[in-house]
Amino acid sequence: MTDPDPIARSAAASPDAARVAPLRVGNASGFYGDRFSALRELLDGGGLDVLTGDYLAELTMLILGRDRLRDSGGGYAKTFLRQLESTLGPALERGVKIVSNAGGLNPAGLARAIRELAQRLGLTVAVAHVEGDELLPRAAELGLGSPLTANAYLGGWGIAACLEAGADVVVTGRTTDASLVLGPAAAHFGWGREDYDALAGAVVAGHVIECGAQATGGNYSFFTEIPDLRRPGFPIAEVYADGSSVITKHPGTGGAVTRGTVTAQLLYEIGGARYPGPDVTARFDTVELADTGPDRVRISGVRGEAPPPALKVGRTSVGGYRNQVEFVLTGLDIAAKAALAREQLEYSGVLDGVETAWTLVRTDRADADREEEASALLRCVVRGGDRERLGRAFTGAAVELALAGYPGFHLTAPPGDAAPYGVFEAAFVDAGLVEHTAVLADGRRIAVPPAKDPLPSADAGPPVLPPPLPAGPVRRAPLGAVLGARSGDKGGAVNVGVWARTEDAWRWLAHTLTVEEFRRLLPETAGLPVTRHPLPNLRALNFVVDGLLGAGVAANVRFDPQGKAVGEWLRSRWTEIPEVLL
């Protein structure tokens, strides 16, 4: 049976809610392939109330889609099931709830597999799951075309319903990453659907811990300042009843939680000040950070607004086939050698009518004392719909140049076949058309309605910037001498968050790094739409570059297909910096 609306609430968080004991949520996975032992490490390292795992990146949905084509019973993250073999029992003994989106395209199948695992282990466990994100059967009806996968980004109220009904383990399909924290917090504190400030605080906490060790010193610009990064601990969010939180980690684990590591993760894969989600729009321009002790950063002040009326939908499809060859060019006349290789391959006719991208990577240096350091790479990437033509017919034509080409000719790999590549596209559907459903451990089904009074998304408007830094002596230096950065992908766009660590550096950053200067420093962004979003509360700017990644990570159109190092490239660029900052 289907209950109409059992999770509608009206009680607001009480004024003294922040004094209630927090809910401790540890996240053990930032992607499908993260550290296998992390679940056990978090469970054994100290007290927790909830253990989460985020497995679903945009690329993962394509991988799981292809897995489901091979096996209709697949489509979920099998790694998670193997992790539970050694952690399910201890979690039940300690009363730790487990919540994960590892269900991927088949949350019901994963829930069934967990029950079978528990039976083999002699455990009694209540397993619930959340479904309704799967839109593939209705893709044409909803105007989504004919994709390989089509999944709406659900919120956290289905998770909350499962936990309120007594579930020990909740698995979902495509939810927003932050929903893995919002759902348990909403259930624990009894938040209502319109307690937007508390919900927004949980979204921010979830955003910080969703990528695992990126909150504890991993992928951090100032990594040389982080102690013991050999094996950084995974992050924990202590969420309070008013939505504020403290980000921390278990004592004795590697890495660190600092205002800098939290700021870096807050800037990861975001857009402007308004961060829309299915349950709430969080105002990232209201986030306040404070160091409260070693490895403890408090997040407070977050304001929330009603969510937009539409849900984001991730669509993946097979875009065609891809192949590449890399020519190694060594010693003198690198440019001339590259020109000859390109001219010969084009003259062969193998590239006629084929989408082709050439890149010359100048990794060589003059008078090198190692052959590899004297060498550059010329990469030729081809794409299209004819697998045979892009396979060995293409790579074989490159090999045929071996004795007739530039001096020192060799390739980085033997001839190979073309491989399929994927395309990720975002779309939006009215939230009322998505059948968000919590399936409880006893089989009951609870319908989760959309927000009652949604608000269309809108820009937050220009913030007040600090006064410019007074004029003074400058010196040429890399931006990274005074600024941190973190970049990431959203479909074909890349975001580059740049932050200052002092107020003076922020005054300089806010008025110096314009869109024009950003484009000058990163010439690959020329001709692409670039939007700058200031976040004065974080002393940060966020740049969104549309189209830099082509059709997204699965299409693999550039050297860094996920844009993960664009921020570090920006930091390596030299410009005139006030000496007072250096």
Side-chain angles (χ1 to χ4, degrees), residues 153-461:
Y153 285 69
L154 303 181
W157 292 108
I159 296 170
C162 292
L163 292 171
E164 288 178 337
D168 301 307
V169 179
V170 182
V171 292
T172 76
R174 176 74 276 183
T175 63
T176 66
D177 301 340
S179 294
L180 302 180
V181 173
L182 183 149
H188 182 76
F189 295 116
W191 292 338
R193 294 290 296 261
E194 296 181 1
D195 286 332
Y196 290 132
D197 290 349
L199 295 170
V203 165
V204 170
H207 183 76
V208 171
I209 71 170
E210 71 186 33
C211 289
Q214 281 197 167
T216 60
N219 195 19
Y220 181 54
S221 290
F222 305 105
F223 71 98
T224 57
E225 301 173 4
I226 301 296
D228 191 10
L229 266 179
R230 292 173 299 177
R231 199 173 183 84
F234 277 68
I236 297 167
E238 297 176 351
V239 183
Y240 289 80
D242 64 349
S244 64
S245 62
V246 171
I247 306 301
T248 185
K249 65 185 184 70
H250 282 321
T253 57
V257 176
T258 68
R259 180 168 176 160
T261 66
V262 172
T263 298
Q265 183 55 26
L266 281 171
L267 296 173
Y268 183 64
E269 294 183 346
I270 66 168
R274 280 191 166 101
Y275 187 75
D279 300 319
V280 63
T281 292
R283 292 293 298 256
F284 271 50
D285 55 350
T286 63
V287 175
E288 298 173 13
L289 302 179
D291 287 301
T292 62
D295 295 319
R296 294 183 66 80
V297 174
R298 182 168 180 77
I299 301 175
S300 61
V302 186
R303 302 299 301 273
E305 300 168 345
L311 297 184
K312 179 181 175 181
V313 176
R315 295 181 296 179
T316 67
S317 57
V318 176
Y321 298 93
R322 178 190 184 280
N323 208 345
Q324 73 175 47
V325 291
E326 284 187 337
F327 300 87
V328 181
L329 317 170
T330 304
L332 306 177
D333 304 319
I334 296 294
K337 289 173 179 174
L340 176 59
R342 178 170 180 169
E343 185 179 5
Q344 288 181 315
L345 196 59
E346 289 176 343
Y347 188 76
S348 73
V350 71
L351 302 179
D352 291 349
V354 172
E355 180 188 343
T356 307
W358 290 90
T359 307
L360 176 58
V361 184
R362 295 301 299 261
T363 51
D364 57 302
R365 63 182 181 86
D367 197 23
D369 54 12
R370 290 172 52 87
E371 182 182 342
E372 192 169 4
E373 295 174 357
S375 301
L377 296 176
L378 175 65
R379 182 180 304 116
C380 179
V381 178
V382 293
R383 290 180 185 80
D386 189 336
R387 184 171 194 169
E388 209 170 292
R389 186 177 179 194
L390 299 180
R392 290 179 183 266
F394 161 66
T395 52
V399 171
E400 289 176 1
L401 304 176
L403 304 182
Y406 60 84
F409 179 105
H410 63 285
L411 305 176
T412 57
D417 293 325
Y421 72 87
V423 174
F424 175 91
E425 296 174 299
F428 294 88
V429 299
D430 186 278
L433 299 176
V434 176
E435 299 171 356
H436 186 174
T437 305
V439 183
L440 307 186
D442 60 8
R444 284 183 297 145
R445 301 173 66 83
I446 295 180
V448 180
K452 288 182 178 177
D453 298 302
L455 288 175
S457 296
D459 290 336

Side-chain angles (χ1 to χ4, degrees), residues 466-479:
L469 203 62
V474 297
R475 180 168 14 121
R476 279 187 62 78
L479 278 175

Side-chain angles (χ1 to χ4, degrees), residues 479-494:
L479 278 175
V482 294
L483 303 175
R486 178 163 293 174
S487 56
D489 63 312
K490 280 296 178 187
V494 64

